[in-house]
Amino acid sequence: MYLYNVSIIVEKSEEDILVKWLENFLAGIGSYKLHFLHMMDSPHEGETYCIQGVFDAPSTIEEFKQDAIAEIHKHIQSHHAQKAFIFDSVMRYIKH
């Protein structure tokens, strides 16, 4: 199992607009089980939000990236350039 995390750091002046867009956009993605989180006590300037999903295989993550994350990237570049930044990471669960 893999955890795919997308972090978005947004300036306070853009926060409400971007968060509302993300909520609406993510609500329209029915085939993925996602969590939308607000990071508390972020070490970054502005506010940090995360989109997280658990996937069975890396290929499913790639599919999600093409289906959804590419659209989020495009929206941020078009509407929040220089005001919001996005980065992702993939983590594999380890048995313990």
Side-chain angles (χ1 to χ4, degrees):
M1 300 279 285
Y2 298 87
L3 175 69
Y4 179 60
N5 181 79
V6 177
S7 296
I8 301 166
I9 303 169
V10 59
E11 289 184 10
K12 274 295 226 190
S13 63
E14 302 284 314
E15 180 183 14
D16 290 340
I17 296 166
L18 180 55
V19 168
K20 285 178 186 172
W21 183 88
L22 285 165
E23 288 173 333
N24 289 331
F25 179 77
L26 295 172
I29 302 174
S31 60
Y32 300 102
K33 185 179 180 198
L34 303 173
H35 298 279
F36 186 43
L37 303 103
H38 182 200
M39 185 183 291
M40 307 305 295
D41 299 324
S42 174
H44 307 286
E45 288 188 31
E47 296 295 320
T48 303
Y49 289 85
C50 298
I51 301 164
Q52 294 186 339
V54 176
F55 298 89
D56 292 329
S59 59
T60 311
I61 294 171
E62 290 304 317
E63 179 183 298
F64 175 67
K65 284 180 173 182
Q66 291 174 9
D67 288 349
I69 302 306
E71 188 66 30
I72 293 171
H73 270 286
K74 187 174 10 172
H75 178 82
I76 287 174
Q77 288 300 318
S78 297
H79 296 90
H80 306 282
Q82 307 289 323
K83 303 288 183 177
F85 303 92
I86 183 171
F87 61 94
D88 62 352
S89 56
V90 177
M91 293 158 264
R92 182 177 53 87
Y93 285 93
I94 300 173
K95 294 180 185 179
H96 56 276

